[in-house]
Amino acid sequence: MNSVQFTAESSSNGVLERDFTVNGVPGVLWSPASTAADRAPLVLMGHGGGNHKKHPAMSGRARLLVTGCGYHVAVIDAPGHGDRPRTGHDEAEIAELFRARAAGEPEGPIVVRYNDHLAELAVPEYRATLDALQALPEIGTGGPVGFWGINMGTAIGIPFVAVEPRVTAAVFGQHWPDVLAAKAQQITVPIEFDLQWDDEHISREEGLALFDAFASKEKSLHVNSGRHKELPRFEADSAVRFFARHLGGAVTS
Amino acid sequence: MNSVQFTAESSSNGVLERDFTVNGVPGVLWSPASTAADRAPLVLMGHGGGNHKKHPAMSGRARLLVTGCGYHVAVIDAPGHGDRPRTGHDEAEIAELFRARAAGEPEGPIVVRYNDHLAELAVPEYRATLDALQALPEIGTGGPVGFWGINMGTAIGIPFVAVEPRVTAAVFGQHWPDVLAAKAQQITVPIEFDLQWDDEHISREEGLALFDAFASKEKSLHVNSGRHKELPRFEADSAVRFFARHLGGAVTS
């Protein structure tokens, strides 16, 4: 069980892209095309709310890690996202979010509770995916593993990393502390955390409280001016350097 | 007047180092050895309290900018520092700082007022140095100019950049908002700002208040876990990339 079933494969500009499923959950694994058989660190990523495993933010970050560091990178669709069906609960929560947005009400309470629900489902899926990927010879067990997820990727990633000792470095950001701060207190690996100084949804105090909660001895906070969706592109480059420092492997560009 | 008088020259590992004075104030100019005659952006730096223009933090950062970006980099000794004489006022303030430190009293009030005094003297010196350096053919007028200074370098740099329209990007960090916040409100160029999350001298609230004060549309805050003197080395690399983004010129490594 927990084995990787590859369903499609393509390659472009030095990056091998392989679609897979693990226990029926669809994911994608990006690897260096020329050295895909070489053992290298793995970075698991989590996509944002309303997006999916192959959103340009995911494929773009994967390309940076694959071509810049020679890493393997995998992401799975969150429950109710991408190629996965929505339940009645998903539909109701999404309708409630759109209603609040249209009414000019705060989105936070709805996003927090819905993402918490999705994280409960997704954490065991991420653990099973990691089991399965580590059974591949080009990843293997015992090697360095990172996690990178912002927004909903953080809502799933913090509970995942809190219970998953195989993850040794993580990049998070842009979520509320309500249910996540207690789990962040269980995380001791190095982290980099992004927040937006003029976020219209997450207050400065909320963002700083979540960063503060991590028990990690090594932690960095990157704040940038701008609204929720204006996280600068250069923070992706910074995250890649963060993983290069902590997971090792040759940075080739 | 305000002309550069070169007093010494040496070269190592691709970096040309030229000592100079402008109106008697001693400084050092680092340039690419192979292309020192080519026009390139200039970064002015400010050293920390109790240090001097050739402290390893200065020469190390200069090497990153010269070899990484092909820039010219200059720093001058602050009043009472390096090769410059101490006045009776300098001696009295330093003695007061050491007394407070030994007594376990807060250093902030003394550092804030002493650095403010030094900044009043140093700002016209930095402006004269910039005039003089821009008269050199390899720098010239109208080209991009950056400023980089942490600690006392920020206490001098914020008032300098606030009144100096030739500076178009700056890296600051690790100082108190008391006298600097009002001047930071006059700064609109892109900034990167460093603070330490566990600084034993500057509280989180003080550090965040100074970052918040900048009027810059583009500003980034880098917070790292650790005490006052534990600013990670990788923040120097980050500052170099910040200047490369904003001052232009080829990043060669």
Side-chain angles (χ1 to χ4, degrees), chain A residues 156-213:
Chain A
I156 291 171
I158 288 178
F160 168 60
V161 175
V163 298
E164 182 46 80
R166 288 175 289 183
V167 175
T168 54
V171 176
F172 297 121
Q174 297 197 272
H175 220 282
W176 293 262
D178 304 59
V179 300
L180 295 176
K183 284 157 184 162
Q185 286 169 0
Q186 302 169 42
I187 293 178
T188 57
V189 298
I191 63 142
E192 186 162 292
F193 190 92
D194 297 321
L195 71 82
Q196 290 291 93
W197 201 232
D198 311 295
D199 194 310
E200 66 275 28
H201 301 303
I202 305 166
S203 73
R204 293 173 184 179
E205 293 69 24
E206 289 171 316
L208 292 170
L210 183 49
F211 170 70
D212 195 37

Side-chain angles (χ1 to χ4, degrees), chain B residues 46-49 51 57 61 107-108 111-112 115 148-158 171-178 180 191-204 206-211 214 220-233 235-236:
Chain B
H47 63 75
N51 289 325
R61 291 170 195 175
E107 299 180 9
V111 174
V112 165
N115 284 4
W148 185 359
I150 310 294
N151 297 309
M152 193 178 76
T154 280
I156 291 171
I158 287 179
V171 175
F172 297 122
Q174 297 198 273
H175 220 282
W176 293 262
D178 305 62
L180 295 177
I191 63 142
E192 186 164 290
F193 191 91
D194 297 320
L195 71 80
Q196 290 292 93
W197 202 232
D198 312 294
D199 193 311
E200 66 275 28
H201 300 303
I202 305 166
S203 74
R204 293 173 183 179
E206 290 172 315
L208 292 169
L210 183 49
F211 169 70
F214 289 94
S220 300
L221 170 70
H222 286 190
V223 179
N224 288 284
S225 52
R227 290 162 61 87
H228 186 73
K229 293 202 172 170
E230 296 177 336
L231 182 70
R233 281 284 183 96
E235 289 300 349

